[in-house]
Every structure is written in C-alpha cells, then in structure tokens.
Amino acid sequence: MAEKHIGKQTVALKNPPTIKATASIVGPKEGRGELKQCFDLIIPDELWGESSWEKAESKLVREAFAKLLQNAKLSNDKIDFILAGDLLNQCIAASYGLRETNVPFLGLYGACSTMAESMSIGSMLIDGGFADNVVCLTSSHFCSAERQFRFPLELGSQRTPTAQWTVTGSGAVALASQGTGPYIRNITVGKINDLGITDINNMGAAMAPAAADTILTHFADTGLVPEYYDLIVTGDLGKIGKKLCLDILRMNGLNIEANYNDCGVMIFNLNEQDTHAGGSGCGCSAAVFAGHIYKEMMKGNLKRVLFIATGALMSPVSLQQKESIPGIAHAVSIHRSLD
Amino acid sequence: MAEKHIGKQTVALKNPPTIKATASIVGPKEGRGELKQCFDLIIPDELWGESSWEKAESKLVREAFAKLLQNAKLSNDKIDFILAGDLLNQCIAASYGLRETNVPFLGLYGACSTMAESMSIGSMLIDGGFADNVVCLTSSHFCSAERQFRFPLELGSQRTPTAQWTVTGSGAVALASQGTGPYIRNITVGKINDLGITDINNMGAAMAPAAADTILTHFADTGLVPEYYDLIVTGDLGKIGKKLCLDILRMNGLNIEANYNDCGVMIFNLNEQDTHAGGSGCGCSAAVFAGHIYKEMMKGNLKRVLFIATGALMSPVSLQQKESIPGIAHAVSIHRSLD
C-alpha cells in the first residue's frame, strides 16, 4: 500500500495544504437564491456583455480566476498549476477562460465532480512537493448547458419534476503549501458507479449511488463517524438524489441525516424559484463551496466539512445509444484547524 | 519555489516511477502503417462487433485496460488510480470503457495532450507517496471523431491537404513505484498557447507553438541540450505542425532536428496511406508511445526519450463562434535506467 494511503481508497495528507482564498461568481437567478449574500459577484444577466452563452461562461472562468488572485493576494507567476474543467464539449469554458493566464494548465473532466477532483489532485501535488500554489476552478452555465445537453432554450420546453437546474456560476479555490487553514486532510477518490439509470432528467438518481459509495468508503477507510463532521455536503444531487443517497447509506448501516446537506438543494430557494429538484452543474458545488462553505469555516461556524462533489459521466450521444448513466463522486475533508 | 521544482515549470521526481508495462490496440489502417509490428492488437474493422463507433471506442479502452493488466501482471485491486480521457464529448470513451474496473478514477481532458498529462499526474501521485500503481490511458477513433468534429463519414467529404487523420486506437501505460524502468524523471507541464489559428483543418499549426513553448521551457529549466535525448517526440503535430515546431524552435535558437520526430508522422505511411498531414487524436501518441517507443526502450534502442503530447483545446462550437484554437503540450522525460 502506498505510503500515504489509509484504508482502501483514501489518502491522508502529511502536510495538509491550506485554502488561501476562494472566489465565486454566479448568475442572476443564483443571486436571488438562499445563499445570495455569500458570492463575490452576481452578474446582471446570462450573457454578461458577451455575444454567446459559451463566451459568457468563459468570462465567468476568467473573472473568477482574476478575483481569486486578488482575494489570495497572488500574482499569476506564483501559481504552479491550474486544475480546471467544465461541462461544455471539450471543456472550452476552462480553456478559453484561462488561455491568457500564462500558468501551467491541467485540464480535468469529472462532470459535476470536477471541483472535488481538482481539489483532490491539487492537494496531492502540493503535499507531494510539486507545487506551492495551485488554483482549482470549475464553471457551468444554465443556458450553454441546456443548449448542449437538453433543448434549445428558445423552444420553451417544459421540464420534468425530477430535472435539476444547471447553476450559472464559477467557483475557484487557491490551495497553498503554507497558510493558516482551512486545511485539506483526507481525500477519497471515487470509482465509477452505474446502477442502470437511463433518465437524463433524473441525474440525482444516477449520481446518488456514487455519492453513497464514496461516503461509505470514506468512513470505512478513516474509521471516523458522521458526527465527526459539522457538515457532510454532496455536490449536486438535488432533493431527489439527496433522499436516495440517504436511503442507500441507511440501507448500508450509515445514518448521516443530522449533518447532511446538498449544494444543489442549498443554492436555490426550492419552494419559490421553480428549479424543480434543485441546482446542478460543476459551478453549483464550486460556487457553494467557494462562496458559502469556505466563508462559514472562516467565521468559525463550521470546523470540519466533508465535501463530496458528484458527477454524471454521460453525454447526449451515449444516451441516444441507449446507455445508462455512470456516476462518480470524490470526497475531500476540510478542517478549520489542525487540532 | 516548491521542493521538487526545477526552473520555471519543470518538476524533477525524487523517486522516479517505473513503467511496468504498456498496452496498445489500433484500428486496421494503423495496423497497415509504419509501426504495424509493434501493437498488441490490430482490430479487424472500425466497429469491432459493436453497434456504434462510440461503443467501439469504449471497447478499445476496455480491452486496452484488460491487456495492460495482463502485460503488467496486475489485478485491478492493485491499481490505486486510473487517469484517463479521450476526445469524445464528456469523455464517454473513457467513462464507459472503464466503468466496470472498480478502480478510483480521475478523468482528464487535455485533447490530444492527454497521454502526457496522465503520465505527468500519475508520476507525481506515485512520487508523492499517494499510489503504488497508476494506469494512464487514452483513446481516439477515426469515425467517432469525424462525426463529432468534422463531417459524417457518409458524406464522403474531401479532406484538405493540411488535415490530419484521427488514429483509431488506445494506448495504456502502467506506472509503478517499484520496478526496473524505464523511469519517468522530469515533467514539464505546459501552458495554453493561442497564436490565433482558426483553421480547423490545420491543427498542426495550432498546436506547434504550444509544443515549441514546452520544449524550449524544458531545456531552459533542466539545462539539458537536445543531444541528451535519443528521441524528442511530439504527440501529433503531423508533418505540417512538425515543420512549424522546428521553425519556431530554430527562431528561438534551438535546433532539435537531428533526433526529433512526431507520432502523427510515424504511425502511418504518409506517402501511401492518404492520411494527408499524418495522424492525430489522443490514441495516436498513446499507441505510438505504448506500442513503439516503450518497446524500443526495452530493447535498448532508445535510452532517453522526451515525449511531448500536444492538444488543440477547441470545440466545433468555439470555432462556429469565431474563436481561434488554443494549444497545449506537456513533456515527460523517460529514461531506460537511472544512471
């Protein structure tokens, strides 16, 4: 077993990297949601002065990166790696949004699990002595995602009750080898899980088994109990997936209900904002982590958080070819202090 | 500067990971090319018994992974991470091809640079103490790529002379903490370069500046000279990009012509196989590395290789929106022994 492995698939960082700063930018609908106070910037409309939604998403990435450097008081030449990805075909939001940064770039694709994936790899690169400063960043955009994955918005298609609403937003995290926390301590990289869900309008159901698998593995590997964390938060199962995740965990003897929530449930006001099952998209967990969770940790309201971003690894083509939807989830444990 | 950094953007591995085994599977056209002797398997036709090209590409991935475990004499429970990606929207070749592996999975998107990206991250995860065995894998497929990026094959569209031919193939590499080499020693992670090329049929021109940038940086960071390597090999610039890369390097005072080649030039017989500027696609550099270069190193014919896989980070949507094509390239230095 590798030196820093504990249990089956969890690693424990010897010199836990610190989160030096975060940045978050969201769209107007997210800016009217439950977490509206916590974001760095709420853009006035979905185009944000650009000629397409895809270009607007790249701008979200570009500006989130710029805001992050400002918040972290870092210049781009101090960043060793950017780890970023998004949902658009060929991850163009990240590559176009970051092409002027002049920073070594490692592109990721983990669907909506990308924020936890980037923080996982970023933390290992710092703990391994390969980097002092790493930027982890993801984005999503409601309009570009609808166009690519579902229907053109112009059709005005009706959404099913199980559908989630892709968050317009970008979240960025600056990880550093030196600092005063919060610290990344343990990482559980997930496996692909596919239980045969084929409904593109029920991503929560497709991702819940992966989330539950990673959570069960995390607790088995670390020997911790759910109460150890102030918050266990999945990264966008929405309200249907959240319930399924709890059910699967309960069937496996783990009850996390007391301190469990989901970024897709938290970001909108589900009763009033007509987002059906809740938020989704890479930008959802990224903005909720960067905007809300990090700030609550800095205020001392959360001391230990287990952050599990979840992704559905399908494409419109795979669904047209009658494939089911594989899910994945990666968990990162974040501690306000190293006590 | 981080502990294992040398120069601006290169890392030197303290305990260089070993390449335990490789596996390569290619399509029929590749199986008639210059390197036909070196692959583990040549499939009889592009569908390989599947009902779609996308499913056939997933099968390439699945079978390359299985072949790799066999060649490395490893079972899946010994693999700490799979690092994989491909060109298909949402990287479905990798996620569907690997969903039954039951191994922690980190999805990457680096376009055709993915093989070097996966070997870079994989090496750092091993050297950092997070893994004993990592699988790095990519794929591409001529028919699925043409359908997605260019024209449906059924149209029989004429190709421009600068166009490259996407390789049908998958290459996989097993990296391990213990072994007898070849060893990964230095890694230069590239930056995004965009010099304003907008011709989707001339990817070589779009990627050449990124390749040249990473090569120049590698030699500046390490203080090495081109003659130090027996082979400097870019990952799929094709013959036009190869010439441009040489030109840019020469303009910057570096002449690598004596020992330079390109995987896209090597894989086909360019005079007879009608592939215009040569091969491309994630599977090109992956199969050439796994099939040809690794075996030449094991035979002792190559002692030191600098492998630079190159990617074009665009999408059909970004080109429709009049964007230029950003390129990226990552370099990995591989040594037969640690002398």
Side-chain angles (χ1 to χ4, degrees):
Chain A
M1 199 159 78
E3 181 196 349
K4 294 173 188 169
H5 251 271
I6 53 172
K8 244 183 2 170
Q9 67 192 75
T10 300
V11 301
L13 302 166
K14 289 227 166 143
N15 297 294
T18 202
I19 300 177
K20 206 178 172 78
T22 65
S24 57
I25 303 181
V26 297
K29 191 178 183 92
E30 293 71 19
R32 293 189 300 271
E34 292 287 337
L35 304 177
K36 60 188 171 193
Q37 304 298 339
C38 74
F39 304 112
D40 287 306
L41 183 66
I42 297 165
I43 63 174
D45 64 82
E46 252 92 11
L47 277 172
W48 204 13
E50 298 291 313
S51 57
S52 74
W53 297 319
E54 290 76 14
K55 286 179 199 270
E57 188 175 342
S58 284
K59 186 173 174 182
L60 284 173
V61 169
R62 192 164 60 244
E63 297 300 325
F65 180 77
K67 185 72 191 162
L68 182 71
L69 292 192
Q70 197 184 325
N71 291 351
K73 298 186 180 64
L74 280 171
S75 55
N76 62 341
D77 61 322
K78 293 279 181 277
I79 313 293
D80 298 298
F81 303 104
I82 299 175
L83 294 153
D86 57 275
L87 296 178
L88 293 181
N89 296 343
Q90 289 71 55
C91 300
I92 52 171
S95 48
Y96 285 91
L98 297 165
R99 68 178 149 173
E100 282 138 27
T101 56
N102 204 32
V103 174
F105 174 78
L106 293 163
L108 306 181
Y109 184 75
C112 304
S113 74
T114 305
M115 196 65 209
E117 184 185 356
S118 66
M119 289 166 68
S120 297
I121 298 177
S123 297
M124 291 191 275
L125 296 187
I126 289 176
D127 187 59
F130 305 104
D132 281 329
N133 291 288
V134 169
V135 167
C136 307
L137 186 153
T138 71
S139 69
S140 55
H141 191 297
F142 174 71
C143 310
S144 63
E146 286 296 307
R147 165 146 76 187
Q148 180 180 284
F149 287 106
R150 297 180 188 93
F151 299 103
L153 286 181
E154 293 81 350
L155 287 182
S157 304
Q158 191 158 358
R159 299 163 66 78
T160 70
T162 56
Q164 290 175 246
W165 189 281
T166 305
V167 161
T168 299
S170 176
V173 170
L175 298 178
S177 56
Q178 303 295 326
T180 55
Y183 301 94
I184 314 271
R185 297 198 77 162
N186 293 319
I187 293 160
T188 306
V189 172
K191 301 169 174 177
I192 302 174
N193 275 254
D194 190 337
L195 263 61
I197 302 289
T198 53
D199 181 359
I200 190 177
N201 291 307
N202 196 353
M203 291 294 179
M207 297 188 287
D213 182 39
T214 298
I215 292 169
L216 284 166
T217 304
H218 178 82
F219 285 110
D221 283 353
T222 58
L224 297 171
V225 291
E227 298 68 37
Y228 177 78
Y229 292 107
D230 301 319
L231 175 67
I232 298 170
V233 61
T234 44
D236 49 279
L237 300 179
K239 66 180 178 188
I240 292 167
K242 182 186 173 189
K243 185 178 173 308
L244 284 170
C245 180
L246 280 173
D247 288 348
I248 300 170
L249 290 174
R250 212 178 287 113
M251 279 158 47
N252 284 278
L254 192 73
N255 188 338
I256 65 167
E257 201 161 5
N259 46 4
Y260 172 53
N261 212 337
D262 179 80
C263 296
V265 171
M266 294 160 76
I267 194 164
F268 293 116
N269 181 325
L270 297 196
N271 295 324
E272 289 175 17
Q273 285 194 292
D274 194 28
T275 55
H276 298 291
S280 70
C282 293
C284 178
S285 58
V288 171
F289 181 80
H292 174 67
I293 297 171
Y294 170 74
K295 289 176 186 174
E296 289 298 303
M297 296 193 87
M298 293 306 283
K299 285 183 205 158
N301 296 335
L302 294 171
K303 291 195 168 48
R304 300 189 199 110
V305 173
L306 186 65
F307 173 66
I308 310 112
T310 55
L313 300 172
M314 58 82 215
S315 82
V317 167
S318 69
L319 293 181
Q320 283 159 8
Q321 295 182 2
K322 312 287 183 203
E323 289 282 9
S324 52
I325 305 173
I328 196 159
H330 308 298
V332 178
S333 83
I334 305 141
H335 296 228
R336 181 61 194 90
S337 70
L338 289 178
D339 303 340
Chain B
M1 199 158 79
E3 182 195 349
K4 294 173 188 169
H5 251 270
I6 54 172
K8 246 183 3 171
Q9 67 193 74
T10 300
V11 301
L13 301 166
K14 288 226 166 145
N15 298 295
T18 203
I19 299 178
K20 205 177 174 77
T22 64
S24 56
I25 304 180
V26 297
K29 190 179 184 91
E30 293 71 19
R32 294 189 301 272
E34 294 287 337
L35 305 177
K36 61 188 171 195
Q37 305 298 342
C38 73
F39 304 112
D40 287 305
L41 183 66
I42 297 166
I43 63 174
D45 64 82
E46 252 91 11
L47 277 173
W48 204 13
E50 298 291 313
S51 58
S52 74
W53 296 318
E54 290 76 14
K55 286 179 199 268
E57 188 175 343
S58 283
K59 185 173 175 183
L60 284 173
V61 169
R62 191 163 61 243
E63 297 300 326
F65 180 77
K67 186 73 192 157
L68 182 70
L69 292 192
Q70 195 185 325
N71 290 350
K73 299 185 180 63
L74 280 171
S75 55
N76 62 341
D77 61 322
K78 293 279 181 279
I79 312 293
D80 298 299
F81 302 105
I82 299 174
L83 294 153
D86 57 276
L87 296 177
L88 293 182
N89 295 343
Q90 288 71 56
C91 299
I92 52 170
S95 48
Y96 286 91
L98 298 165
R99 66 178 151 174
E100 282 138 26
T101 56
N102 204 31
V103 175
F105 174 78
L106 293 163
L108 306 181
Y109 185 75
C112 305
S113 74
T114 305
M115 196 66 211
E117 184 184 356
S118 66
M119 289 165 68
S120 298
I121 298 177
S123 298
M124 292 192 274
L125 295 187
I126 290 176
D127 187 60
F130 305 105
D132 281 330
N133 291 288
V134 169
V135 167
C136 307
L137 186 153
T138 70
S139 70
S140 55
H141 191 295
F142 174 71
C143 310
S144 63
E146 286 295 307
R147 164 146 75 187
Q148 179 180 285
F149 287 107
R150 297 180 187 93
F151 299 102
L153 286 180
E154 292 82 352
L155 287 180
S157 304
Q158 191 159 358
R159 301 164 64 79
T160 70
T162 56
Q164 290 174 246
W165 189 280
T166 304
V167 161
T168 299
S170 177
V173 170
L175 298 179
S177 56
Q178 303 294 327
T180 54
Y183 302 93
I184 314 269
R185 298 199 76 163
N186 293 319
I187 293 161
T188 306
V189 173
K191 300 168 175 178
I192 302 173
N193 276 253
D194 190 336
L195 262 61
I197 302 289
T198 54
D199 182 359
I200 191 177
N201 291 308
N202 196 351
M203 291 295 179
M207 297 188 288
D213 183 38
T214 299
I215 293 169
L216 285 166
T217 304
H218 177 83
F219 285 109
D221 283 355
T222 57
L224 298 171
V225 292
E227 297 69 38
Y228 178 77
Y229 292 107
D230 302 318
L231 175 66
I232 299 170
V233 60
T234 44
D236 48 278
L237 299 178
K239 68 180 178 187
I240 293 167
K242 182 185 173 191
K243 186 179 172 308
L244 283 171
C245 179
L246 281 172
D247 288 348
I248 299 170
L249 291 174
R250 212 178 287 114
M251 280 159 46
N252 285 276
L254 192 73
N255 188 337
I256 64 167
E257 201 161 1
N259 45 4
Y260 172 54
N261 212 339
D262 178 80
C263 297
V265 171
M266 294 160 75
I267 193 164
F268 293 116
N269 182 327
L270 296 196
N271 295 324
E272 290 174 16
Q273 285 194 291
D274 194 28
T275 54
H276 298 294
S280 68
C282 293
C284 179
S285 58
V288 172
F289 181 79
H292 174 67
I293 298 171
Y294 169 74
K295 289 177 184 173
E296 289 298 303
M297 295 193 87
M298 293 306 283
K299 285 183 206 157
N301 296 336
L302 294 170
K303 291 194 168 50
R304 301 191 199 109
V305 173
L306 186 65
F307 173 66
I308 310 113
T310 56
L313 300 171
M314 58 82 214
S315 82
V317 167
S318 70
L319 293 181
Q320 283 159 8
Q321 295 183 2
K322 312 288 184 204
E323 288 283 8
S324 52
I325 304 173
I328 195 158
H330 308 298
V332 177
S333 84
I334 305 140
H335 296 228
R336 182 61 194 91
S337 70
L338 290 178
D339 304 340

